[in-house]
């Protein structure tokens, strides 16, 4: 059994990303990433802190815009408009969830799709499925980068995705399909899930249910990617897969924590650098 | 065995669509549909003629803009701009394929997504996958309408789509998923296709290969939707499914011709009426 060690992959990729940032700086461009955070949701605060740390380590300009949870929709929309028009910002995200008085759809739609590094705006989702995308949702892209690192072949393999969220399940299905896997998308209404899951050469689980996936869901020798981030009965972080139960059956598995999590941030950073590289091309092209 | 008789469903739906057109006309609105056709591809000409016939039968304003195949990209782009800004046109399509001197992507991108009744522009594809779409690609939507008509339940069923084109395979997968089927997307790189296909309660085939699907691809009692439109060795129209070979195994099957084809046009008409209804709401709202 081999661990899909997201932390290790992330630091390996950090090295080449760091070089790309240096090259950009030599051209007078610093990748600019901003995060809008509202309120004091503790999970969100942790995510944002991790993003900040990685961005600063890579030499980005990082802006954290932190509002009280009494902020109005208009204030956020004005800030988005400002970021949309700020040439030094290559990408930005609004950390979800948002307080009740704010319409999340409206907020997401206000973000210029060219700066939407989360990849959730309709035009970016569309390009993802058409197979012509620059910006890919970070978790899905991070999973593919991790599988690539461990040389997991996808072409012709049976991939099963459990969970069909717009944030993980659907985009990872799109990317597995782009890599020529045969892709099955399963969800809460799927019948005989253990049978369907156990056909998977590559199983991606993103349901948010602690240790839900047991050995009977797993094909002998499967590669398992666990996107879950839950707390078990003792308050300890755990995934959607019962790691100990499946361990003897899998050929590779991503742990929680230290699997998909670090890869998500890596992809977000990579996407920001790609956008900064496009800015550099434009700036140089117009000289 | 029951035939999924697209022709019959189409004329049943024509009736209610006709009533909606009448209601619109009472409000002073006539659904406006335009088709840009380039050159004299005989298949395209047949498709366009069928669309024209149905649109006129339903009482639409139908405009056919027919160019010689020597037309320039600029001419088409100018026409698209004109149609984008013509309030009497609710939707329009550019019939593909286009001659070599024309960049199809550029043409599709020039169409205002709000009038893109084919649903191929990125923003409409994105909304389709997000699950928040007004405009759905006509063939995919037509298939769902046909299954609904015959009361085929999709929730929790295993649906397998063979073929992953942006025009049919992927959008029909999105709609089957929206209806809570467990969806598998298979394609040219899929291994053991007969095994995978024969797990399907609902099998949708869109590969463009005459009579490719034989009885060994079919689960006993499956519902089979054949999107193919090919010519067999005698030049006769046929689908991707070997109709005679699978007949004893299926519970329902769509014939070719007379299955999906008429439903595609029905959905295109329905989509145009929906857009006209939105226009009517806007016009009345602003009174």
């Amino acid at each position: 059994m081999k661990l899909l060690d997201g932390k290790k992959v992330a630091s390996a990729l950090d090295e080449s990303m760091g070089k790309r940032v240096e090259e950009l700086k030599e051209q007078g461009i610093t990748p600019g990433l901003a995060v809008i955070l509202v309120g004091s949701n503790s999970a969100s605060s942790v995510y944002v802190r991790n993003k900040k740390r990685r961005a600063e380590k890579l030499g980005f300009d990082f802006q954290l815009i932190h509002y009280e949870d009494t902020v109005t929709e208009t204030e956020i929309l004005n800030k988005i408009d400002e970021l949309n028009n700020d040439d030094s910002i290559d990408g930005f995200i609004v950390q979800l969830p948002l307080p009740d008085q704010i319409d999340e759809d409206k907020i997401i739609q206000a973000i210029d799709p060219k700066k939407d590094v989360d990849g959730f705006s309709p035009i970016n989702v569309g390009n993802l499925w058409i197979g012509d995308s620059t910006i890919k949702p970070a978790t899905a892209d991070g999973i593919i980068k991790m599988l690539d690192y461990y040389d997991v072949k996808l072409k012709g393999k049976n991939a099963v995705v459990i969970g069909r969220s717009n944030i993980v399940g659907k985009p990872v299905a799109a990317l597995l399909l782009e890599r020529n896997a045969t892709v099955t998308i399963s969800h809460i209404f799927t019948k005989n899930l253990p049978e369907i899951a156990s056909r998977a050469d590559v199983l991606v689980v993103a349901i948010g249910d602690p240790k839900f996936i047991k050995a009977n869901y797993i094909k002998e020798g499967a590669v398992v990617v666990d996107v879950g981030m839950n707390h078990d009965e003792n308050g300890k972080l755990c995934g959607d897969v019962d790691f100990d139960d499946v361990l003897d059956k899998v050929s590779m598995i991503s742990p929680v924590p230290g699997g998909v999590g670090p890869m998500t941030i890596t992809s977000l950073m990579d996407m920001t650098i790609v956008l900064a590289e496009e800015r550099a091309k434009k700036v140089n092209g117009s000289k």
Side-chain angles (χ1 to χ4, degrees), chain A:
Chain A
M1 196 283 302
K2 206 171 186 171
L3 214 56
L4 296 168
D5 184 344
K7 226 168 155 180
K8 184 178 142 192
V9 181
S11 54
L13 296 181
D14 263 5
E15 214 174 298
S16 66
M17 289 201 291
K19 278 185 198 141
R20 285 159 65 202
V21 174
E22 270 176 42
E23 281 168 25
L24 282 166
K25 288 191 172 177
E26 282 165 18
Q27 300 171 59
I29 302 275
T30 301
L33 175 65
V35 175
I36 297 178
L37 173 67
V38 180
S40 53
N41 178 306
S42 67
S44 291
S45 301
V46 172
Y47 293 144
V48 170
R49 197 193 314 139
N50 289 338
K51 287 168 188 169
K52 181 173 193 292
R53 194 180 295 153
R54 287 285 286 286
E56 288 177 346
K57 197 181 146 208
L58 283 165
F60 287 17
D61 271 343
F62 183 88
Q63 266 189 51
L64 172 59
I65 300 125
H66 194 168
Y67 291 110
E68 302 283 321
D69 53 16
T70 52
V71 67
T72 65
E73 202 172 86
T74 311
E75 278 179 272
I76 302 183
L77 289 172
N78 286 341
K79 177 50 82 175
I80 288 176
D81 189 50
E82 193 187 297
L83 294 169
N84 282 342
N85 290 298
D86 181 344
D87 286 342
S88 74
I89 294 294
D90 295 295
F92 64 99
I93 64 178
V94 179
Q95 188 73 38
L96 304 180
L98 293 172
D100 288 345
Q101 78 272 21
I102 318 268
D103 180 346
E104 283 189 4
D105 283 347
K106 207 167 164 186
I107 295 294
I108 291 176
Q109 276 162 28
I111 300 172
D112 181 345
K114 292 190 194 70
K115 296 192 174 189
D116 162 42
V117 272
D118 258 343
F120 297 152
S121 66
I123 199 164
N124 287 326
V125 175
N127 282 325
L128 181 76
W129 280 100
I130 291 167
D132 180 28
S133 63
T134 306
I135 300 178
K136 301 168 168 71
T139 301
D141 184 60
I143 290 169
I144 300 293
K145 282 189 164 64
M146 184 166 69
L147 295 174
D148 280 349
Y149 185 88
Y150 285 100
D151 208 23
V152 175
K153 303 284 181 243
L154 294 169
K155 185 171 161 178
K157 294 293 172 62
N158 290 321
V160 175
V161 178
I162 309 183
R164 57 169 170 179
S165 71
N166 288 324
I167 296 177
V168 182
K170 289 179 194 169
V172 82
L175 292 178
L176 291 165
L177 186 63
E178 192 178 271
R179 290 302 190 85
N180 300 316
T182 301
V183 178
T184 298
I185 309 174
S186 62
H187 46 78
I188 191 86
F189 297 110
T190 294
K191 287 172 186 158
N192 303 322
L193 185 58
E195 188 194 324
I196 286 171
S198 60
R199 292 173 194 150
D201 303 307
V202 177
L203 182 68
V204 180
V205 189
I207 50 178
D209 200 337
K211 301 187 185 177
F212 180 82
I213 301 295
K214 312 281 182 193
N216 62 322
Y217 288 73
I218 307 290
K219 178 179 177 173
E220 194 71 46
V223 173
V224 176
V225 177
D226 187 350
V227 187
M229 182 67 91
N230 317 293
H231 291 92
D232 69 9
E233 63 283 7
N234 305 314
K236 221 185 116 190
L237 265 184
C238 72
D240 294 339
V241 179
D242 189 334
F243 191 87
D244 296 327
D245 200 54
V246 307
L247 208 54
D248 289 341
K249 271 183 124 176
V250 302
S251 67
M252 302 188 193
I253 184 169
S254 70
V256 176
V260 173
M263 292 307 302
T264 297
I265 300 188
T266 292
S267 281
L268 184 68
M269 300 300 138
D270 179 59
M271 223 70 76
T272 308
I273 298 174
V274 168
L275 294 177
E277 286 166 345
E278 286 191 355
R279 169 157 63 109
K281 254 186 244 162
K282 244 187 258 167
V283 171
N284 293 334
S286 66
K287 264 177 191 166

